[in-house]
Amino acid sequence: MNRRSLIMPSLLAAMPALFVLALHARLYYPFIADDAFISLRYAERFAQGLGLTWNDGERVEGYSNLLWVLANALLYSSGVDLVTACRALGALGMGGVLVCVARCSTRDPLRMRAAGALAALCLALTGPLAAWAVGGLEQALLALLLAWALIAADTLIVAPHEAKRWSAAVPLAALCLTRPDSPVLVLGVLLGVWGALGPRGLKHALVIGLWAAAAVVTQLIFRLAYYGEWVPNSARAKVAFTAERIVTGVIYVFDALLHLWPLYVLALLLTVMSRQRRARLLPALGVLLLWSVYVLVIGGDIFPARRHSVPLLVALGMVLAIGLRQAFESKRAYAFTVALSVLAMVAQIGLTARDPQNFLASTERWELDGEVIGRLLGRAFVAEQPLLAVDAAGCLPYYSRLPAIDMLGINDKYLAAHPPPGFGHGRLGHELGNGAYVMSRAPDLVLPCLSQGADHGCYRSGRELLARADFRQHYRLLNFEGSEPYRFRSRIFVRTDGRLGIRSSASGMTIPGVFFAFGRASATLDAQGRIGTTLEPGQAVGLQVTAEDGRRWKAHTELSGTAKVGVEDRQITLTAGPAGAHIRALVLSLGP
């Protein structure tokens, strides 16, 4: 049977589900995970010839999705914007899953095609598939490769010939390059093939497994040679095997089950009914079992819309497709099974709408605010290249293109290699931090918490930094306001003696205009892209400086508009004129 006789009927059968998925994903758009921008930063730098790196001169594997990074880099090299690229790949991946689940041929009768269409429609109604079609991370690619592998495994079970192994070996090897924990999925598929075929299936499973193992070993050799590590830095920053992790993992798995139970119940009933084809369900059932146990052990996940449920839903979709085809072969069971499927879909629609995790994905937008501030910092300080320390290590470093410190350690070798006491007992992925280490790096900009910044620390590095006397002495909390693509204000600590700081000499000092951006004033870009503090008409700001030998300061301003400068008792006051002012710098010289 040629590919066209499979692809076109499958695509037509999946059309209703594809339409529903598009409408459903629209509810979450423009959601995109902050960690997606970490992958895109690596993809951009790789495409620019800077290697798979986070900063110049540093090699750290802060991504855990190599194939996804390379796919995005390839599209970027072809002229595609990276955010557009990851969204397009996500839509294609999740759409491809639905086509795989709806798989049929021109020889199938109408009700057999309807079985695949119903199974695909069930998946399109779930929050994880819809949200992660636009969420920017590798779940869509992972899901597509897993669906391909399950189809190949099913084909091998139906006709166990050596030639069929290749169709399963390729997607399973690619899975291992997509995520380092994909061997769990591979093992589930291979155990299912072995169980379905008995002793002769062992040989098929071992041969296919060797190709997957070769992919794992190849990436391991690269990791050791390039990064000098056995595991990705992101894994070291997150993974801990503790009782607390297991508890959160149990909650994660069972909470997902509570919000997806109609599909699980339908799959269970079809498994019981599918006596003749039950062996064909084993690869998907193996994935369901092993991946659930794995997610439970690692403590679940922190992202909205149940990211780690995506592989489970792909496996469920294959169980539904095979089970419905079996049920539809009986005219007596046909009407009952259709009614049961419709009831399951109606129930799933209600659960999807009420799922708080889906609500989080539909409302989380702070990453978009990070684009505004990142673009502002990148344009303002492209020449100085200040070192930026952040908790939100995705959108801010990506859009600013500035060298960065990831204060949560995902992209920092030192923090990942020096976990704090009690690691594994706090929030997954947010436990690392070391204020002394960050301070030793002398960052020029420190933006704790999320894109809006804060005057306090949300996580360990930020809390320890703000508790230090030397940090309070050398940093000032200032307001920055960007306008691209919309207006947004953030509070950022700026080092007074760093690349962006106050420059002193024997004859005076130059104070960058941003140091007047406190209170109601904000640092903005003027029409020429120069950073400074914008004052409204009549608005005044003051700054205290220190003079030696009782001498007084003489002041000269670099500004657009008009402003009056007052110097009294070491207090410098700037008052904007009737048209307002944009203060780029204040130059002080010592007078008699």
Side-chain angles (χ1 to χ4, degrees):
M1 189 177 297
N2 60 50
R3 292 182 179 180
R4 185 175 180 180
S5 67
L6 289 173
I7 294 175
M8 292 308 298
S10 300
L11 184 60
L12 290 173
M15 278 298 177
L18 292 171
F19 179 72
V20 170
L21 180 66
L23 293 179
H24 193 181
R26 180 75 177 173
L27 298 177
Y28 303 100
Y29 185 85
F31 165 66
I32 184 168
D34 191 57
D35 279 27
F37 292 105
I38 292 177
S39 300
L40 297 186
R41 179 171 168 114
Y42 279 95
E44 182 179 59
R45 290 178 61 82
F46 180 73
Q48 292 172 345
L50 300 173
L52 285 167
T53 58
W54 171 251
N55 287 323
D56 291 343
E58 299 178 22
R59 289 188 179 182
V60 55
E61 189 180 1
Y63 58 89
S64 55
N65 46 14
L66 176 62
L67 203 58
W68 182 253
V69 169
L70 297 179
N72 280 281
L74 179 62
L75 289 180
Y76 178 74
S77 300
S78 303
V80 181
D81 171 74
L82 276 169
V83 174
T84 302
C86 73
R87 291 198 191 278
L89 290 172
L92 288 172
M94 291 306 187
V97 169
L98 298 184
V99 174
C100 288
V101 170
R103 181 174 178 263
C104 58
S105 74
T106 52
R107 300 178 184 177
D108 288 332
L110 183 60
R111 67 173 182 267
M112 293 297 103
R113 301 186 195 188
L118 273 176
L121 197 54
C122 287
L123 293 194
L125 296 173
T126 63
L129 254 71
W132 290 105
V134 298
L137 280 172
E138 71 284 350
Q139 270 58 47
L141 178 58
L142 185 81
L144 179 60
L145 292 171
L146 178 59
W148 176 9
L150 288 172
I151 286 178
D154 183 60
T155 303
L156 181 62
I157 291 170
V158 172
H161 302 300
E162 293 184 5
K164 303 289 186 181
R165 296 173 185 164
W166 293 101
S167 59
V170 171
L172 290 178
L175 266 177
C176 294
L177 297 177
T178 302
R179 279 188 62 90
D181 50 12
S182 290
V184 176
L185 300 172
V186 173
L187 184 60
V189 174
L190 297 184
L191 287 176
V193 170
W194 183 11
L197 294 176
R200 59 176 177 166
L202 178 58
K203 181 178 179 181
H204 291 299
L206 289 175
V207 172
I208 295 170
L210 283 175
W211 286 96
V216 172
V217 172
T218 300
Q219 187 176 7
L220 178 60
I221 292 172
F222 166 75
R223 181 181 296 123
L224 288 169
Y226 195 76
Y227 297 111
E229 300 289 346
W230 286 90
V231 297
N233 199 73
S234 54
R236 298 179 68 185
K238 293 180 180 180
V239 177
F241 300 104
T242 61
E244 284 83 352
R245 285 284 193 269
I246 293 177
V247 170
T248 56
V250 169
I251 293 172
Y252 184 92
V253 170
F254 279 92
D255 193 45
L257 181 62
L258 288 175
H259 290 89
L260 296 168
W261 68 261
L263 301 189
Y264 276 94
V265 170
L266 180 59
L268 178 61
L269 291 175
L270 291 172
T271 300
V272 173
M273 294 168 61
S274 301
R275 296 178 180 178
Q276 297 178 8
R277 301 189 180 187
R278 196 169 297 167
R280 295 173 57 182
L281 301 178
L282 290 179
L285 295 176
V287 168
L288 282 168
L289 175 62
L290 293 189
W291 189 255
S292 296
V293 172
Y294 167 74
V295 173
L296 185 150
V297 170
I298 65 170
D301 191 38
I302 59 171
F303 291 101
R306 310 187 190 285
R307 179 176 68 133
H308 282 335
S309 293
V310 170
L312 299 176
L313 286 169
V314 174
L316 271 178
M318 299 305 296
V319 172
L320 294 177
I322 295 172
L324 286 171
R325 288 176 68 89
Q326 170 69 25
F328 281 14
E329 288 178 354
S330 170
K331 292 183 179 180
R332 289 188 301 175
Y334 178 75
F336 171 75
T337 309
V338 170
L340 198 63
S341 301
V342 171
L343 285 175
M345 286 190 286
V346 171
Q348 187 57 58
I349 290 172
L351 289 171
T352 297
R354 296 194 301 271
D355 191 341
Q357 283 293 317
N358 296 336
F359 177 77
L360 285 176
S362 65
T363 57
E364 183 175 297
R365 298 292 182 264
W366 63 264
E367 295 90 348
L368 307 182
D369 300 333
E371 175 184 354
V372 179
I373 299 304
R375 288 185 184 277
L376 169 69
L377 297 178
R379 290 185 61 192
F381 305 124
V382 63
E384 294 86 352
Q385 289 294 291
L387 182 58
L388 171 67
V390 291
D391 287 325
C395 53
L396 292 163
Y398 172 74
Y399 280 108
S400 69
R401 272 75 179 182
L402 296 177
I405 302 173
D406 180 354
M407 294 196 293
L408 291 177
I410 305 298
N411 300 280
D412 191 283
K413 275 191 175 184
Y414 180 87
L415 291 175
H418 297 82
F423 179 70
H425 300 275
R427 187 186 177 197
L428 180 68
H430 293 73
E431 296 179 86
L432 296 182
N434 187 314
Y437 163 74
V438 176
M439 192 69 186
S440 72
R441 297 280 304 272
D444 302 286
L445 300 164
V446 178
L447 207 163
C449 303
L450 303 182
S451 305
Q452 73 273 15
D455 58 1
H456 62 278
C458 294
Y459 306 107
R460 184 180 294 270
S461 288
R463 290 194 297 266
E464 291 182 1
L465 275 177
L466 269 67
R468 295 175 62 95
D470 55 351
F471 181 84
R472 297 193 299 271
Q473 177 184 356
H474 290 285
Y475 288 84
R476 291 184 183 174
L477 183 61
L478 304 173
N479 303 319
F480 287 78
E481 185 176 291
S483 59
E484 184 185 354
Y486 54 83
R487 290 198 170 276
F488 182 75
R489 194 184 197 199
S490 178
R491 294 186 292 174
I492 305 175
F493 288 95
V494 182
R495 190 177 182 94
T496 58
D497 56 352
R499 295 177 183 86
L500 311 178
I502 299 170
R503 299 184 296 277
S504 300
S505 66
S507 59
M509 68 174 63
T510 300
I511 303 175
V514 297
F515 284 96
F516 294 94
F518 51 86
R520 292 188 298 112
S522 293
T524 62
L525 296 176
D526 64 11
Q528 287 73 44
R530 296 171 297 187
I531 190 73
T533 294
T534 298
L535 301 180
E536 299 175 357
Q539 184 179 358
V541 292
L543 193 67
Q544 191 171 33
V545 295
T546 302
E548 298 178 359
D549 303 327
R551 292 181 290 176
R552 296 174 62 84
W553 290 111
K554 292 182 178 181
H556 167 71
T557 53
E558 297 177 7
L559 76 166
S560 302
T562 58
K564 179 181 177 181
V565 182
V567 182
E568 183 176 353
D569 192 24
R570 301 179 182 177
Q571 180 75 17
I572 307 296
T573 303
L574 296 176
T575 305
H582 183 264
I583 313 296
R584 297 191 299 276
L586 178 66
V587 181
L588 300 175
S589 58
L590 287 169

